[in-house]
């Protein structure tokens, strides 16, 4: 029996300047990285 690998194409989208501003503002307000990522619907590693 052979197994086939499903290839998942990942799509990357750069942060907009608006998102960068939101991140800076939230970070200065002491939000955690995970909380910021959740609010922006982004992965925390972004």
């Amino acid at each position: 029996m052979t197994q086939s690998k499903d290839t998942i194409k990942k799509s990357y989208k750069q942060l907009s300047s608006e998102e960068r501003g939101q991140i800076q503002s939230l970070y200065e307000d002491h939000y955690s990285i995970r909380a910021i990522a959740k609010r922006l619907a982004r992965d925390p590693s972004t």
Side-chain angles (χ1 to χ4, degrees), residues 15-16 18-29 36-37 40 42 46:
L15 292 171
S16 68
E18 182 180 317
E19 286 176 310
R20 290 176 189 272
Q22 288 176 320
I23 291 169
Q24 182 177 358
S25 178
L26 292 168
Y27 188 76
E28 288 171 354
D29 287 341
I36 294 170
L40 296 177
R42 293 289 195 145
T46 300

Side-chain angles (χ1 to χ4, degrees), residues 4-38:
S4 63
K5 287 187 177 180
D6 292 328
T7 56
I8 300 172
K9 186 176 181 181
K10 292 187 177 184
S11 170
Y12 297 99
K13 182 182 155 201
Q14 293 182 345
L15 292 171
S16 68
S17 54
E18 182 180 317
E19 286 176 310
R20 290 176 189 272
Q22 288 176 320
I23 291 169
Q24 182 177 358
S25 178
L26 292 168
Y27 188 76
E28 288 171 354
D29 287 341
H30 306 285
Y31 280 80
S32 71
I33 291 171
R34 291 193 180 278
I36 294 170
K38 189 172 185 177

